[in-house]
Amino acid sequence: MYFMSRRPLGALLSAILLLIFTTPLVTCAYADTAQYDLPVPVGNPDPSSFQFQSTFWQDSSSWVSTDPTLTSRLDYSLHWSVEQQGTANETIHALIRLSGDNLKYAWAGIGFGRSMLEAQFIVCHQMSGNQYPNPATVELHEHATLYKYAPPQDYNGQHAAFPVQGSFNNNTLSCEFTRRTQPQDGYHVNLDPNALSPMIWGFNPRSDLNTDGTWFTYHETEHRGALTADLAKGNIYTRDTYSFGKKLAHGFGMMFVWLVLFPFAAYYARYLRSTARWTLVHMITQITGCLLLIAFVIVIFTDWIQLSRPHAVFGLCLLGFILLQFVLGLCSIIGLSNEALASVRKWVRGTHNTLGFTLLLGSVAQVGLGLDTVYPWTENRGRAAWAIYIGVVTFWLLLFIATELYFKLTVVRKDVKVARYTPVARNGGKADPNSGMPLMSISRGGRAGTAVTLVDANATAVPMGNQRLRPDLQLYTWDTLNQAILNGGQFVVANGRYVYETAQWLTSHPGGQLILHAVNGTDITNDYFHEAGFDAEEFVPKPAAPAQAAGRPQLPRVPTASSTTASSSTHQSSSYGGTILQEMKVAPLMEERDWKLVVKSRRTHVHTRLAIQKLSSLLVGELVPSSNETDPHASIDVVREFDPNEYRRYALVENTALAPNAPIVRFRFCLLYPYDLRANEPDVIYPGQSIEICARINNRIVTRYYCPSGTSGGGLSMLEILVKIYPQGVMGQYLFKQKPGQRQVKIRGPFGKPLVSPERPLSLTASDWLPRRIMFIAGGSGITPFLQLLLLALLPVAEPLRAQLDYNAQMEDELSLQRGDKVAVRHHYYDGWAIGVNLRTEQEGAFPLTVTSPRCGPHTRITLVHAVSTAGELIMGAEWIEGALLAYPQALEVHRFVADGTSPDVPLGITYPHGLDETHLDRIARERFGSHEDAEDRDAEGQPDDELADDDPNNGKVFICGPPGFDAWTIDALTEGDAGLDMRQVLILPSDRVL
């Protein structure tokens, strides 16, 4: 009974009080019904006049009265005949006769039914109520059961039995009556004298006053019996009475389960979740309760159960819901560690909690109904049982109220409130007066350009000085911590400094095992101390780029070689535009949809102060920089420095298949807490660098390296990768099956040596950061490092490009440029056009990239040789390659080889309908590296440029990246060919690890 409703106490109190105070009222309502006693005409019935006779009780001294000084000889018998048999007026003519010593206010009766919980009674009373002056007067009553062990009540005037004569004479109580077998009145049961009919009998020779003020109390234990009668033939068969002891065992057993075990399990699950292995206690208690329920149900079914009674019907309903509750609880527990059920666990858990609360309320009512059946509220007997019932219910009620108030007042943190994202206008809604386009003025760090304050020191109660908290603690670096996790450890970091071991909570964490595995080895400061949207006010959405205008004019003709090499300009640019470039570099990267998926992926929960204290007890080490790992006395810098070995969690915000006929998928990841930055965090991932993605798949930690190939920039806050999905692939298949916003992914890096110098060029004319000649030979998805290089060298964002030609705007949204102007690209259309800002005029608009010099410089020549199995794989990076070819066709040459001979949807460069072979590879290498006869490679006097001397390996580079075996084949082909490559110019990029 996973009791988690936030406001259950008022409803619980109302339901319990209503049950306690209405139960006696309902019972008294039965007791207050009108009594219809039928005086029996005084006479002496003749037993010999009846056809059949049966003695139910006969002894001489076995009965002991409530007065120990009195003993009695008792004789109880029934005499009867069936008259007008087989007709509509068929009648049972009977005589009840009880004789014995010291009878006082005696009664004797028979019942038609199997038990007093269902029978209809005919009872003969001696001087009932003592209201008749004639001591020989007797009364005849017809009673109906109250479905409980209480004195049965009258039919309120509806009679099927009528007295004939009777008297109390010579210590003998006799009552002669007739009873129609087919009353057909809707109140009485019809009798069939020719069939075996269940009957019961009972008597009390010395009755006491009951709660109604009449002399009608229980028979003694022995003075009752059950039988099966064939009235028409006069055959009586004795049968065992149903066990009252079994009913008591069933009732008190159920009371223990419903009022002790299940409330304890609910209380433990709600308020003691800060105790390790609380789920085990909750589960064992619930299973024990369910097993006991089954046992006590079997006990009552071995006796007899009347399914028409409210207690029985309600009990069977509760059993059905208990079974459902057990299944929901089992699914909820399995969902803690099972990914298939984790997606629906929220709804399963909510239903489990609501149903558990409802069952607790229902159990209080059910126990009350059962107790009122065995010990009716109106009876004096059973007061102790009612006292226990009320006491236990009151105990739990007060305990829940007190604990709830204690948690709300002292444990629950009220200082944390959920922030909501509200869109804001950038720059006050102002627009550039020249282009009509909005200008960006808000940094990536948030609306105010500052990072979010992450943790309130008072809330964490953990000292944050620069001295070691406990010198005896083990020292960890991010690298050694990751190694401990690979060895099976379960650790988290808080405040970027303290290491906690969470293995003991793996099976007990309320959020489940999946979340603990997701945060394993990462910093949980934001998750532990904040709501999911705590930094919503910091979020600024990325502005949508305007759509490409219809009717855009054709691209200008590419300048000739002589104009391209001219480095002078009519307008020399100075240091203008620095502010605009800086704003562009820190511009928001996430769209509103991305932000919503990030918040959804966080799955955070504000932990109570009790949980924070519990976290403190799990402290096992301190995190230090690698340089301090062996120095136990070194101080620790509070500011968190960037460490590529630190796994940081990301939200998967996109997994889009690029083409229906190709297994190429674009994955985009957003940093889970994009404003939680590290000191000296890189803002660029250079070509050749990789990130490592870690995920727990099929209970196994799996890591893979990928080259980010996104165009958004922004360093590590947003990452984009292109992945070829293989049928037997592990990581690719796992990521592709996830829904955006469903999972957190751990990523660290960047790792690896860049293909180009990570230092940015000092001037626009400097191009020594990139080799003059580059040939990239890629197999399949090995093209991703080339795409990194392509975007950096030819399609940069927020980098100044020099205009080499004048351009006059031809449409309203276009940008005019003069030769020598610097223009910073904000958005590429990948059709040769881009949106940018003229750093001289600070105007923004569309312009053709063909009028600018590429960032890599006018002399750089890039060649791509891409070998794939099918044409569908060529979709990988096709948009960027097409954009670069349209923008700078003189700087890029593309050769694509398709092994199966199919043709791509979009032909780019030169496509070969066969696989890559040595002949073609050698020819391409000779053309791009064998000579320098191109006009672009000559100096101003028309002589070959000495900077491109063949003997300088730095002037040309060949990069090889592909599946296993591809690099070895390519090296052999280049070595045996005639291109004359210096092997110092060749660099192999492993596909499964970093360089």
Side-chain angles (χ1 to χ4, degrees):
M1 316 301 297
Y2 195 18
F3 182 36
M4 292 294 294
S5 177
R6 281 292 183 185
R7 298 177 180 176
L9 300 177
L12 180 62
L13 176 63
S14 301
I16 293 174
L17 293 179
L18 181 64
L19 172 69
I20 293 176
F21 291 111
T22 56
T23 298
L25 293 179
V26 173
T27 307
C28 292
Y30 280 102
D32 291 340
T33 55
Q35 299 286 328
Y36 289 86
D37 301 335
L38 298 179
V40 179
V42 177
N44 293 315
D46 181 9
S48 62
S49 63
F50 294 91
Q51 186 178 3
F52 304 110
Q53 181 268 339
S54 178
T55 300
F56 298 148
W57 182 274
Q58 186 176 34
D59 66 11
S60 59
S61 60
S62 62
W63 172 70
V64 179
S65 172
T66 54
D67 185 351
T69 63
L70 298 177
T71 59
S72 177
R73 175 191 56 79
L74 298 175
D75 186 11
Y76 176 45
S77 59
L78 174 68
H79 307 260
W80 77 95
S81 300
V82 179
E83 299 176 351
Q84 303 184 48
Q85 189 172 357
T87 67
N89 296 322
E90 186 179 59
T91 302
I92 295 177
H93 187 190
L95 168 64
I96 293 176
R97 194 167 186 272
L98 174 64
S99 62
D101 299 332
N102 304 315
L103 297 185
K104 183 179 181 181
Y105 304 122
W107 64 264
I110 60 172
F112 300 101
R114 289 173 292 183
S115 165
M116 71 172 298
L117 297 180
E118 70 160 5
Q120 296 179 355
F121 304 92
I122 299 176
V123 182
C124 183
H125 294 267
Q126 171 203 0
M127 298 176 59
S128 179
N130 198 21
Q131 58 182 331
Y132 297 106
N134 186 353
T137 302
V138 297
E139 293 176 352
L140 180 71
H141 293 178
E142 273 195 275
H143 296 297
T145 181
L146 290 177
Y147 302 104
K148 61 182 69 174
Y149 290 101
Q153 300 299 312
D154 288 313
Y155 273 105
N156 299 335
Q158 299 292 334
H159 292 282
F162 299 93
V164 177
Q165 62 177 340
S167 66
F168 177 68
N169 192 14
N170 295 326
N171 285 324
T172 300
L173 173 66
S174 59
C175 183
E176 182 180 353
F177 63 91
T178 60
R179 203 278 194 185
R180 298 195 304 273
T181 60
Q182 305 293 324
Q184 304 292 343
D185 56 5
Y187 293 96
H188 297 81
V189 295
N190 294 326
L191 303 177
D192 185 1
N194 296 301
L196 293 176
S197 302
M199 295 178 61
I200 60 175
W201 57 267
F203 64 91
N204 190 340
R206 294 181 62 85
S207 184
D208 296 322
L209 281 172
N210 60 24
T211 55
D212 297 336
T214 59
W215 298 91
F216 187 20
T217 56
Y218 281 99
H219 46 71
E220 299 293 336
T221 306
E222 297 85 357
H223 299 159
R224 64 187 180 95
L227 53 89
T228 302
D230 183 354
L231 297 177
K233 297 180 180 179
N235 297 322
I236 296 294
Y237 306 99
T238 302
R239 60 182 176 86
D240 294 334
T241 58
Y242 296 114
S243 173
F244 188 74
K246 289 185 177 181
K247 293 181 177 62
L248 289 179
H250 168 81
F252 284 105
M254 287 295 193
M255 180 185 293
F256 173 74
V257 173
W258 286 115
L259 299 187
V260 178
L261 288 184
F262 285 164
F264 171 77
Y267 184 88
Y268 204 97
R270 177 167 176 80
Y271 300 113
L272 298 177
R273 283 176 294 171
S274 59
T275 304
R277 297 178 178 84
W278 66 269
T279 52
L280 183 62
V281 175
H282 178 73
M283 183 172 60
I284 290 177
T285 306
Q286 296 288 63
I287 292 176
T288 302
C290 291
L291 292 178
L292 289 177
L293 280 182
I294 295 174
F296 292 126
V297 168
I298 293 176
V299 167
I300 197 64
F301 268 101
T302 58
D303 190 58
W304 173 70
I305 183 171
Q306 185 184 4
L307 297 180
S308 61
R309 293 188 299 116
H311 176 67
V313 174
F314 194 28
L316 291 178
C317 292
L318 286 180
L319 286 178
F321 283 114
I322 278 289
L323 178 61
L324 175 61
Q325 178 74 346
F326 180 81
V327 174
L328 291 174
L330 187 62
C331 292
S332 181
I333 292 176
I334 296 176
L336 295 175
S337 58
N338 185 279
E339 294 191 14
L341 292 177
S343 58
V344 298
R345 182 176 177 269
K346 176 182 178 181
W347 310 107
V348 171
R349 180 178 176 181
T351 305
H352 181 64
N353 298 342
T354 303
L355 182 58
F357 169 61
T358 306
L359 285 174
L360 279 183
L361 293 181
S363 67
V364 175
Q366 174 69 351
V367 172
L369 288 174
L371 190 59
D372 191 57
T373 299
V374 180
Y375 296 117
W377 176 265
T378 56
E379 295 289 317
N380 292 325
R381 63 188 186 87
R383 292 301 185 189
W386 279 102
I388 295 174
Y389 169 75
I390 296 175
V392 172
V393 171
T394 304
F395 167 77
W396 283 118
L397 184 63
L398 294 178
L399 184 62
F400 272 102
I401 292 176
T403 310
E404 187 76 15
L405 292 176
Y406 170 77
F407 266 70
K408 289 186 178 297
L409 295 177
T410 62
V411 178
V412 177
R413 294 175 57 206
K414 300 179 180 179
D415 57 323
V416 180
K417 297 182 179 179
V418 181
R420 301 296 181 187
Y421 160 67
T422 53
V424 297
R426 301 171 186 79
N427 232 20
K430 298 179 181 179
D432 182 2
N434 298 304
S435 66
M437 295 179 134
L439 289 174
M440 303 279 286
S441 64
I442 301 176
S443 73
R444 190 174 298 143
R447 298 186 180 185
T450 59
V452 177
T453 300
L454 294 180
V455 181
D456 179 5
N458 294 327
T460 61
V462 177
M464 291 295 293
N466 61 354
Q467 296 299 320
R468 293 194 57 199
L469 179 63
R470 284 171 47 187
D472 60 316
L473 290 176
Q474 182 177 349
L475 297 181
Y476 290 92
T477 64
W478 281 112
D479 192 37
T480 59
L481 183 65
N482 293 331
Q483 188 59 46
I485 291 171
L486 290 177
N487 292 334
Q490 195 78 27
F491 300 93
V492 295
V493 176
N495 293 327
R497 174 174 173 180
Y498 303 111
V499 180
Y500 303 87
E501 186 173 11
T502 59
Q504 62 177 297
W505 282 92
L506 197 58
T507 58
S508 303
H509 189 267
Q513 294 184 26
L514 295 181
I515 191 63
L516 283 185
H517 288 310
V519 303
N520 193 17
T522 66
D523 194 308
I524 62 166
T525 304
N526 295 299
D527 310 82
Y528 210 79
F529 301 108
H530 294 292
E531 286 285 359
F534 76 99
D535 52 353
E537 295 181 354
E538 296 294 318
F539 171 65
V540 178
K542 176 184 178 181
Q548 177 67 291
R552 185 79 72 189
Q554 295 293 324
L555 293 174
R557 292 183 60 83
V558 180
T560 62
S562 58
S563 63
T564 303
T565 59
S567 60
S568 61
S569 61
T570 58
H571 177 79
Q572 292 295 332
S573 301
S574 60
S575 61
Y576 54 74
T579 302
I580 295 178
L581 282 175
Q582 184 61 28
E583 290 181 353
M584 293 177 67
K585 292 180 188 301
V586 297
L589 301 177
M590 287 191 297
E591 300 175 355
E592 289 191 38
R593 174 184 176 275
D594 298 334
W595 171 254
K596 293 178 180 179
L597 292 175
V598 166
V599 174
K600 180 181 178 182
S601 299
R602 289 177 175 177
R603 304 180 185 275
T604 60
H605 172 69
V606 177
H607 292 73
T608 64
R609 291 183 175 88
L610 190 61
I612 295 175
Q613 294 174 5
K614 180 62 66 175
L615 178 66
S616 300
S617 67
L618 305 178
L619 181 64
V620 295
E622 291 190 67
L623 196 67
V624 298
S626 300
S627 58
N628 291 350
E629 181 181 4
T630 59
D631 184 2
H633 303 291
S635 63
I636 301 174
D637 191 358
V638 176
V639 179
R640 285 185 289 181
E641 289 283 338
F642 173 77
D643 188 334
N645 291 305
E646 177 190 358
Y647 273 112
R648 300 167 75 182
R649 282 169 288 125
Y650 287 73
L652 176 64
V653 297
E654 180 185 358
N655 55 352
T656 304
L658 299 184
N661 59 341
I664 307 299
V665 180
R666 176 191 292 115
F667 295 102
R668 274 197 311 118
F669 305 93
C670 290
L671 191 62
L672 206 61
Y673 298 98
Y675 308 114
D676 180 14
L677 305 178
R678 307 289 188 263
N680 301 318
E681 182 174 320
D683 57 359
V684 175
I685 298 179
Y686 288 97
Q689 289 187 310
S690 301
I691 58 173
E692 186 179 15
I693 298 181
C694 177
R696 187 177 181 85
I697 305 174
N698 297 327
N699 296 321
R700 184 169 59 93
I701 296 178
V702 179
T703 62
R704 293 290 186 273
Y705 287 98
Y706 296 97
C707 289
S709 53
T711 61
S712 59
L716 300 176
S717 60
M718 179 176 288
L719 301 172
E720 180 177 321
I721 60 175
L722 298 177
V723 180
K724 180 179 180 181
I725 307 297
Y726 293 93
Q728 303 302 322
V730 179
M731 182 66 75
Q733 290 283 358
Y734 171 80
L735 294 176
F736 186 62
K737 292 177 181 178
Q738 306 306 313
K739 294 181 180 180
Q742 185 180 30
R743 287 286 183 272
Q744 299 176 10
V745 179
K746 294 189 293 187
I747 300 177
R748 66 174 180 172
F751 299 107
K753 181 180 179 180
L755 303 183
V756 298
S757 173
E759 300 296 331
R760 293 176 180 269
L762 299 178
S763 67
L764 292 178
T765 59
S767 60
D768 55 352
W769 61 285
L770 195 66
R772 293 291 187 91
R773 296 177 183 272
I774 296 176
M775 184 165 72
F776 201 102
I777 306 172
S781 58
I783 193 178
T784 52
F786 170 79
L787 299 177
Q788 291 178 303
L789 177 65
L790 181 74
L791 296 173
L792 179 71
L794 299 181
L795 299 174
V797 175
E799 293 291 346
L801 302 177
R802 180 183 294 279
Q804 61 180 350
L805 291 176
D806 294 339
Y807 181 76
N808 296 319
Q810 301 181 36
M811 298 183 70
E812 182 180 357
D813 64 341
E814 292 185 358
L815 182 66
S816 294
L817 298 173
Q818 294 181 13
R819 188 178 183 183
D821 281 349
K822 289 188 292 185
V823 58
V825 177
R826 190 188 301 282
H827 173 74
H828 285 281
Y829 287 116
Y830 304 113
D831 59 357
W833 289 81
I835 295 290
V837 178
N838 189 327
L839 301 183
R840 176 176 59 85
T841 63
E842 299 188 0
Q843 293 182 342
E844 182 173 342
F847 70 97
L849 290 169
T850 52
V851 303
T852 64
S853 178
R855 186 190 180 203
C856 60
H859 296 292
T860 299
R861 301 292 180 265
I862 302 175
T863 303
L864 170 65
V865 178
H866 191 198
V868 296
S869 300
T870 63
E873 298 178 41
L874 295 176
I875 195 67
M876 183 175 288
E879 182 184 32
W880 303 330
I881 296 174
E882 182 179 18
L885 286 173
L886 292 173
Y888 307 110
Q890 75 282 2
L892 178 64
E893 183 176 302
V894 177
H895 299 266
R896 305 196 296 180
F897 294 82
V898 183
D900 66 353
T902 56
S903 299
D905 296 334
V906 179
L908 299 176
I910 304 173
T911 302
Y912 303 85
H914 54 78
L916 178 63
D917 53 37
E918 296 179 359
T919 302
H920 287 84
L921 182 60
D922 182 64
R923 178 183 60 79
I924 296 171
R926 281 188 288 105
E927 291 177 355
R928 303 304 285 182
F929 279 83
S931 64
H932 304 295
E933 298 301 326
D934 293 339
E936 295 86 344
D937 296 336
R938 295 180 179 274
D939 58 16
E941 288 75 21
Q943 300 298 320
D945 194 337
D946 292 337
E947 294 182 2
L948 296 178
D950 290 337
D951 57 357
D952 185 359
N954 294 323
N955 287 329
K957 288 290 183 182
V958 176
F959 300 105
I960 303 172
C961 186
F966 179 82
D967 50 358
W969 178 89
T970 305
I971 289 293
D972 293 340
L974 293 175
T975 303
E976 298 173 1
D978 300 329
L981 285 175
D982 187 342
M983 285 298 103
R984 293 176 298 171
Q985 297 176 294
V986 180
L987 182 64
I988 298 176
L989 306 179
S991 60
D992 58 346
R993 60 192 186 278
V994 297
L995 183 64

Coordinates of all heavy atoms in Angstrom, one line a residue, residues 240-263:
D240 N -23.2 -30.5 11.7 CA -22.4 -29.6 12.6 C -22.8 -28.1 12.3 O -23.1 -27.7 11.2 CB -20.9 -29.8 12.3 CG -20.4 -31.2 12.6 OD1 -21.1 -31.8 13.5 OD2 -19.5 -31.7 12.0
T241 N -22.7 -27.4 13.4 CA -22.9 -26.0 13.3 C -21.6 -25.3 12.8 O -20.5 -25.9 12.9 CB -23.2 -25.4 14.7 OG1 -22.2 -25.7 15.6 CG2 -24.6 -26.0 15.2
Y242 N -21.8 -24.2 12.2 CA -20.7 -23.4 11.7 C -19.9 -22.9 12.9 O -20.4 -22.4 13.9 CB -21.1 -22.3 10.8 CG -21.7 -22.9 9.5 CD1 -23.1 -22.6 9.2 CD2 -21.0 -23.6 8.6 CE1 -23.7 -23.1 8.1 CE2 -21.6 -24.2 7.5 CZ -22.9 -23.9 7.2 OH -23.5 -24.4 6.1
S243 N -18.5 -22.9 12.7 CA -17.7 -22.5 13.8 C -17.6 -21.0 14.1 O -17.2 -20.3 13.2 CB -16.2 -23.1 13.6 OG -15.3 -22.6 14.6
F244 N -18.0 -20.6 15.2 CA -17.8 -19.2 15.6 C -16.3 -18.9 15.9 O -15.9 -17.8 15.6 CB -18.6 -18.9 16.9 CG -18.7 -17.5 17.3 CD1 -19.4 -16.6 16.6 CD2 -17.9 -17.0 18.4 CE1 -19.4 -15.2 16.9 CE2 -18.0 -15.7 18.7 CZ -18.7 -14.8 18.0
G245 N -15.6 -19.9 16.3 CA -14.1 -19.7 16.5 C -13.4 -19.4 15.2 O -12.5 -18.6 15.2
K246 N -13.8 -20.0 14.1 CA -13.1 -19.7 12.8 C -13.4 -18.3 12.4 O -12.6 -17.6 11.8 CB -13.6 -20.7 11.7 CG -13.0 -22.1 11.9 CD -13.5 -23.0 10.7 CE -12.8 -24.3 10.9 NZ -13.2 -25.2 9.7
K247 N -14.6 -17.8 12.7 CA -15.0 -16.4 12.4 C -14.2 -15.5 13.2 O -13.7 -14.4 12.7 CB -16.5 -16.2 12.6 CG -17.4 -17.0 11.6 CD -18.8 -16.7 11.9 CE -19.7 -17.4 10.9 NZ -19.6 -18.9 10.9
L248 N -13.9 -15.8 14.5 CA -13.1 -15.0 15.3 C -11.7 -14.9 14.8 O -11.0 -13.9 14.7 CB -13.1 -15.4 16.8 CG -14.4 -15.2 17.5 CD1 -14.3 -15.7 18.9 CD2 -14.8 -13.7 17.6
A249 N -11.1 -16.1 14.4 CA -9.8 -16.2 13.9 C -9.7 -15.4 12.6 O -8.7 -14.6 12.4 CB -9.4 -17.6 13.6
H250 N -10.7 -15.5 11.7 CA -10.7 -14.7 10.5 C -10.8 -13.2 10.8 O -10.0 -12.5 10.2 CB -11.9 -15.2 9.7 CG -12.2 -14.3 8.5 ND1 -11.5 -14.3 7.3 CD2 -13.1 -13.3 8.4 CE1 -11.9 -13.4 6.5 NE2 -12.9 -12.7 7.1
G251 N -11.6 -12.9 11.7 CA -11.8 -11.4 12.0 C -10.6 -10.8 12.6 O -10.1 -9.7 12.1
F252 N -10.0 -11.4 13.6 CA -8.9 -10.8 14.3 C -7.6 -10.9 13.4 O -6.8 -10.0 13.5 CB -8.7 -11.4 15.7 CG -9.7 -10.9 16.7 CD1 -10.7 -11.7 17.1 CD2 -9.6 -9.6 17.2 CE1 -11.6 -11.3 18.1 CE2 -10.5 -9.2 18.2 CZ -11.5 -10.0 18.6
G253 N -7.5 -11.9 12.6 CA -6.4 -12.0 11.7 C -6.5 -10.9 10.6 O -5.5 -10.2 10.3
M254 N -7.7 -10.7 10.1 CA -7.9 -9.6 9.1 C -7.6 -8.2 9.8 O -7.0 -7.3 9.1 CB -9.3 -9.6 8.5 CG -9.5 -10.8 7.6 SD -8.4 -10.6 6.1 CE -9.2 -11.8 5.0
M255 N -8.1 -8.1 11.0 CA -7.8 -6.8 11.7 C -6.3 -6.5 11.8 O -5.8 -5.4 11.6 CB -8.5 -6.8 13.1 CG -8.3 -5.5 13.9 SD -8.9 -5.6 15.6 CE -10.7 -5.7 15.2
F256 N -5.6 -7.6 12.1 CA -4.1 -7.4 12.3 C -3.5 -7.0 10.9 O -2.6 -6.1 10.9 CB -3.5 -8.7 12.8 CG -2.0 -8.7 12.8 CD1 -1.3 -8.0 13.7 CD2 -1.3 -9.4 11.8 CE1 0.1 -8.0 13.7 CE2 0.1 -9.4 11.8 CZ 0.8 -8.6 12.8
V257 N -3.9 -7.6 9.8 CA -3.4 -7.3 8.5 C -3.7 -5.9 8.1 O -2.9 -5.1 7.7 CB -3.8 -8.4 7.5 CG1 -3.3 -8.0 6.1 CG2 -3.2 -9.7 7.8
W258 N -5.1 -5.6 8.2 CA -5.5 -4.4 7.6 C -5.2 -3.2 8.5 O -4.9 -2.1 8.0 CB -7.1 -4.4 7.5 CG -7.6 -5.2 6.3 CD1 -8.3 -6.4 6.4 CD2 -7.4 -5.0 4.9 NE1 -8.6 -6.8 5.2 CE2 -8.1 -6.0 4.2 CE3 -6.7 -4.0 4.2 CZ2 -8.1 -6.1 2.9 CZ3 -6.8 -4.0 2.8 CH2 -7.4 -5.1 2.2
L259 N -5.1 -3.4 9.8 CA -4.9 -2.2 10.7 C -3.5 -2.1 11.3 O -3.2 -1.2 12.0 CB -5.9 -2.2 11.8 CG -7.4 -2.1 11.4 CD1 -8.3 -2.0 12.7 CD2 -7.6 -1.0 10.5
V260 N -2.7 -3.1 11.0 CA -1.3 -3.1 11.6 C -0.3 -3.2 10.4 O 0.5 -2.3 10.2 CB -1.1 -4.2 12.6 CG1 0.4 -4.2 13.1 CG2 -2.0 -4.1 13.8
L261 N -0.3 -4.3 9.7 CA 0.7 -4.5 8.7 C 0.6 -3.5 7.5 O 1.6 -2.8 7.2 CB 0.6 -5.9 8.1 CG 1.1 -7.1 9.0 CD1 1.0 -8.4 8.3 CD2 2.5 -6.8 9.5
F262 N -0.5 -3.3 6.9 CA -0.6 -2.4 5.8 C -0.4 -1.0 6.1 O 0.3 -0.3 5.4 CB -2.0 -2.6 5.1 CG -2.1 -3.9 4.3 CD1 -3.3 -4.4 3.8 CD2 -0.9 -4.6 3.9 CE1 -3.4 -5.6 3.1 CE2 -1.0 -5.8 3.2 CZ -2.2 -6.3 2.8
P263 N -1.0 -0.5 7.2 CA -0.6 0.9 7.6 C 0.8 1.1 7.9 O 1.4 2.1 7.6 CB -1.5 1.2 8.8 CG -2.7 0.2 8.7 CD -2.1 -1.0 8.1

